[in-house]
Amino acid sequence: MSAAPEPEGITVVGRGAAAAAVDRVTISLAVEVVRAEPGDAWTVASGTATRLLAVLADDGVDARSVRTSDLTLGPRVEFQGNRQQVVGYQAGQRLTVVRDGLRGIERLLTDVAGLGGEGVRIDGVSLTPGHPQDALTRARDAAFADADATARQLARLAGRTLGRVRWIDERPAHGGPRPMMAMRAAAAESMPVATGDAEVSIEITVCREFAD
């Protein structure tokens, strides 16, 4: 007994986008100190990290919003000819700061750069929507409407009538907020931060049957 033929239909891709307010900041910080002795490197790096945490607290960052993501201590090596040579010991720590709200972000970054101490580095600042659900809903509506319009046009061109939806597949489209460039701690004046809106994109694939 032969298998029943698959119902005829059409599969189209729809895309939609909506603006979402940028109101969440993720800051990647690093402390990196090199000394001749490992104990000295660790002591200086620990003191810098303590000072950096104090700077963040003074600027209103909640302690629960700061997370240590990495602790390191090891030899610093350089190649001299064909041989590796230990030139010191490197101690460090990486911190991730997540903050809702953009008020005071320029001052925070400037204070970190100017007051954080030896070895402080701002590795990156990402500005993203903290609550993108409403924008996702609007982008999804637009994506489905786009897919529906395309399917209806193609069916009309083919002289067919559309039937029920067989399946839908949704995926986030490429793009979105981009992180700012990394900055080394050497700023004397406030670093301006442009926010604006972020674009939330959705891509859906819709498969529909032909009704006739």
Side-chain angles (χ1 to χ4, degrees), residues 10-14 144 146-152 154 167 169 204-208:
I10 185 172
T11 302
V12 296
V13 175
F144 190 87
D146 181 43
D148 185 68
T150 300
R152 291 183 182 279
L154 293 174
W167 54 264
D169 180 54
I204 63 172
T205 304
V206 180
C207 180
R208 298 187 65 167

Side-chain angles (χ1 to χ4, degrees), residues 2-24:
S2 60
E6 289 289 327
E8 292 183 334
I10 185 172
T11 302
V12 296
V13 175
R15 296 176 179 86
V22 171
D23 54 6
R24 176 168 293 171

Side-chain angles (χ1 to χ4, degrees), residues 26 28 30 33 90 139 147 172 187 191 198 200 211:
T26 302
S28 299
V33 174
Q90 179 175 301
M191 174 69 74
V200 176

